[in-house]
Amino acid sequence: MLPESIWESALELQTFLQQHKLSFVFIGGLAVQRWGQPRMTDDIDLTVVIPFGTESQLARTMLNRYQSRHPKPIEFALEARILLLRDLSGIEIDLSIGGMPFEHRMLERSSEWGVPGGGQIRTCGAEDLVVLKGFADRSQDWIDVENIVCRQGNKLDRKLMLEELGYLAELKEQPELLHRLQSIFDKSN
């Protein structure tokens, strides 16, 4: 179980984003709590989907409330499409700036989930979390993918995951990501 403060920080962040009419979805470790094997995480990952060209405006809005973890936050946000932030309680926030078609579809498929201590946060769906984790392609991400596939079983839309990851793997020029996901599916049958 995660410390209560991370849920409080997520709810506070969600309220702030809603007040600014920003479209967002929690991903990463918080979404893993919902769809996979719950594990410790000490940060908040989310994607905010905005029109291209409005990244500086988003960065300024977020920096009015949250501290930057990068010396040049706006420049870094424009280059890397991520804002590295910290809230007043010290919780780190990795805010990905979305705008690609997959991110729009992920947002449409997201839903509310009740968190410990009360309240609800908007998380990505299990399939989109698998796609994000597969695309990130780190050891812990593949462990999370295996746990999600195991826990969610036949409820998952495997075709959707392969299509979405296929598109992203092509952009990344790493078709082996699809083979790795398919092998996880094969093991789970």
Side-chain angles (χ1 to χ4, degrees):
M1 210 36 127
L2 298 181
E4 210 172 288
S5 60
I6 202 162
W7 298 117
E8 291 168 2
S9 290
L11 288 165
E12 179 185 298
L13 174 58
Q14 178 171 269
T15 299
F16 180 78
L17 295 166
Q18 289 169 334
Q19 289 170 343
H20 287 85
K21 300 187 181 351
L22 291 165
S23 299
F24 64 93
V25 60
F26 288 97
I27 58 174
L30 294 184
V32 167
Q33 304 305 306
R34 179 180 185 181
W35 301 114
Q37 177 66 37
R39 63 174 173 79
M40 285 301 296
T41 186
D42 57 1
D43 67 350
I44 296 172
D45 298 296
L46 74 155
T47 298
V48 175
V49 179
I50 58 172
F52 288 101
T54 62
E55 295 85 357
S56 294
Q57 181 182 348
L58 171 65
R60 284 191 294 277
T61 297
M62 297 308 297
L63 292 167
N64 282 333
R65 173 74 172 251
Y66 296 93
Q67 302 167 349
S68 176
R69 294 172 16 231
H70 192 278
K72 296 182 176 181
I74 294 177
E75 294 87 346
F76 186 69
L78 292 172
E79 179 184 318
R81 297 194 62 76
I82 191 165
L83 278 166
L84 302 175
L85 305 169
R86 181 178 295 110
D87 73 8
L88 294 177
S89 69
I91 301 288
E92 293 185 353
I93 300 166
D94 294 351
L95 186 155
S96 297
I97 302 172
M100 305 254 312
F102 165 73
E103 292 158 326
H104 284 277
R105 291 189 298 273
M106 176 177 64
L107 188 63
E108 290 170 9
R109 292 186 289 252
S110 67
S111 60
E112 298 287 327
W113 175 60
V115 299
Q120 295 189 334
I121 62 171
R122 176 161 292 284
T123 73
C124 64
E127 290 87 353
D128 292 318
L129 184 56
V130 165
V131 171
L132 290 169
K133 293 283 186 177
F135 182 71
D137 193 30
R138 299 170 297 214
S139 297
Q140 182 61 54
D141 293 313
W142 287 109
I143 293 168
D144 288 338
V145 167
E146 289 180 10
N147 288 329
I148 295 163
V149 170
C150 180
R151 183 170 171 201
Q152 299 304 315
N154 292 331
K155 295 182 271 185
L156 293 171
D157 184 340
R158 293 179 178 200
K159 182 179 179 219
L160 173 71
M161 291 183 283
L162 289 168
E163 286 174 2
E164 293 287 16
L165 185 58
Y167 166 74
L168 295 173
E170 189 176 310
L171 288 176
K172 199 174 181 180
E173 297 181 357
Q174 287 186 302
E176 64 274 10
L177 299 178
L178 280 177
H179 302 299
R180 187 153 187 193
L181 180 57
Q182 184 62 57
S183 72
I184 291 171
F185 291 161
D186 294 343
K187 283 193 315 191
S188 73
N189 287 334

